[in-house]
Amino acid sequence: MTTFDAIHAASAVANALHVLAAVVWVGGMFFAYVVLRPAIGDIEPAGERPKLWARVFPRFFAWVWAAVIVLPITGYWRMFMDFGGFAGSGLHVHAMQVLGWVMIGLFVYLFAVTHRRFQGKVTAGDLAAAGNQLAQIRLIVGTNLALGLIVSAVAAFGQVGL
Ligand code: HEM
């Protein structure tokens, strides 16, 4: 196997991991926001909802951490090994990396600040305050979901040269 072949094979793996990470992250947010949230909206007593989310979030966020590590590593691999770096990359790649870092920043804030406060309130049994934090989490996840769908569509359009 030549060096070129090895880099090409690694790029194929990087591309697959990149797409899988995007699918897991964006798909997970879609399920949480569009399916689970409205499905449990009227479950009573209302305090049961934060308790359910308190179990859902840590499981999902572990996968999001994996995605936010894999996406930039594999994305920059492709940029530098396949497209010739920043100068050689198309507009869709530049848009993706900017929006991608916004998404990652929002997730890290969500995880380190809002989610930590939310879990603290649930542990303390203050479910009304937990509900307020939940509203903020919903806002951030809704924003990231919209960005994730846009980024994925931009990537797909860019690949066919639009
Ligand atoms: C954070 C920095 C990121 C960088 C540097 C990056 C870079 C790249 C590059 C270079 C490509 C290949 C483009 C092409 O073949 O024309 C790509 C494809 C793609 N990216 Fe990203 N990306 C990043 C973040 C994201 C994020 C956050 C998402 C979605 C949540 C995402 C979703 C996709 C998708 C769906 C593709 C299409 C892959 C395919 O169809 O083969 N990327 N990315």
Side-chain angles (χ1 to χ4, degrees), residues 2-77:
T2 65
T3 310
F4 175 79
D5 289 339
I7 288 177
H8 196 60
S11 286
V13 173
N15 200 35
L17 289 175
H18 196 82
V19 177
L20 289 173
V23 166
V24 167
W25 188 9
V26 181
M29 289 193 292
F30 188 90
F31 175 75
Y33 195 89
V34 179
V35 179
L36 188 55
R37 184 182 60 94
I40 65 165
D42 56 358
I43 282 185
E44 296 292 345
E48 290 303 304
R49 290 173 231 155
K51 284 200 250 172
L52 173 73
W53 285 113
R55 290 165 175 231
V56 169
F57 288 141
R59 285 176 174 79
F60 177 50
F61 289 164
W63 288 100
V64 179
W65 273 115
V68 300
I69 291 167
V70 165
L71 280 166
I73 292 174
T74 52
Y76 287 118
W77 172 278

Side-chain angles (χ1 to χ4, degrees), residues 110-129:
L110 165 73
F111 186 85
V113 180
T114 322
H115 177 247
R116 189 190 297 243
R117 281 188 198 140
F118 167 73
Q119 291 289 358
K121 298 296 180 195
V122 173
T123 307
D126 188 351
L127 296 176

Side-chain angles (χ1 to χ4, degrees), residues 15 18-19 21-23 25-26 71-72 74-76 78-79 83 89 92-93 96-101 103-104 147-149 151-153 155-156 158-159:
N15 200 35
H18 196 82
V19 177
V23 166
W25 188 9
V26 181
L71 280 166
T74 52
Y76 287 118
R78 295 222 57 215
M79 261 178 95
F83 302 138
S89 297
H92 67 294
V93 174
M96 179 159 22
Q97 57 155 339
V98 170
L99 293 178
W101 282 115
M103 288 178 68
I104 292 169
L147 288 175
L149 292 172
V151 167
S152 301
Q159 277 193 338

